[in-house]
Amino acid sequence: MSDRTVEHSTFCVERTYNAAPARVFAAFADPAKKARWFGPEEGAGPVNMDFRVGGAESMSGQVEGGPSYRYDAVYQDIVQDQRIVYTYDMHLNDQRISVSVATVELVPDGERTRLVLTEQGVFLDGLDQPAFREKGTADLMDKLGTTLA
């Protein structure tokens, strides 16, 4: 008998930004721009980023006095100014805690952009929870909005 578990979850985060789709897309595609909003703190964005189909992105760190984490992603589909699809896994203290597929859709809304981020995740062995991931993703999209403002 095993203590291994699997929990599947899908969530969607939507935001509307006062920026054109090209500017929102650039915030994902340009490593310097992404570093401004992506990560647990400002300026802690991806360590490595190869923004192209088949390219990878990674980031790791440690919570002060706490656990280490690692994010490893691969870009599966990119449509300039419209769509980004990537797969990623999260590790906590070198143990995989989840595997996800995320889709970022950028929809023009006049001079603004409606972002729709849909994530389908597999959460492993009770080490992460869908509600935590959804909250963290929503917080990141809010940080993106602040950066774009």
Side-chain angles (χ1 to χ4, degrees):
M1 188 137 175
S2 172
D3 292 333
R4 300 289 187 156
T5 62
V6 173
E7 182 177 358
H8 297 269
S9 180
T10 298
F11 63 84
C12 186
V13 174
E14 295 189 33
R15 297 288 185 272
T16 299
Y17 302 120
N18 289 321
R23 190 161 162 241
V24 179
F25 185 87
F28 281 89
D30 181 294
K33 290 177 181 174
K34 191 166 187 180
R36 293 182 193 135
W37 64 270
F38 187 81
E41 57 193 53
E42 188 173 328
V47 174
N48 298 303
M49 185 174 166
D50 180 11
F51 190 78
R52 63 181 175 81
V53 173
E57 177 181 334
S58 65
M59 181 179 59
S60 61
Q62 184 164 359
V63 176
E64 189 173 328
S68 64
Y69 63 87
R70 189 174 80 240
Y71 162 87
D72 294 309
V74 175
Y75 294 102
Q76 304 295 334
D77 183 63
I78 298 171
V79 178
Q80 183 78 32
D81 301 337
Q82 295 179 39
R83 180 177 67 224
I84 304 165
V85 180
Y86 56 98
T87 53
Y88 75 96
D89 55 337
M90 292 292 298
H91 292 80
L92 183 65
N93 293 329
D94 293 323
Q95 184 172 5
R96 181 177 288 123
I97 63 172
S98 67
V99 178
S100 296
V101 174
T103 303
V104 176
E105 298 171 86
L106 305 175
V107 181
D109 182 9
E111 294 182 13
R112 304 178 336 155
T113 300
R114 185 169 61 91
L115 177 144
V116 180
L117 189 154
T118 305
E119 182 166 325
Q120 299 163 299
V122 179
F123 298 85
L124 306 170
D125 304 325
L127 299 171
D128 197 359
Q129 296 179 18
F132 295 160
R133 182 66 52 80
E134 183 172 359
K135 169 82 167 90
T137 301
D139 290 348
L140 281 174
M141 295 305 101
D142 291 342
K143 284 174 70 175
L144 171 60
T146 299
T147 300
L148 292 167

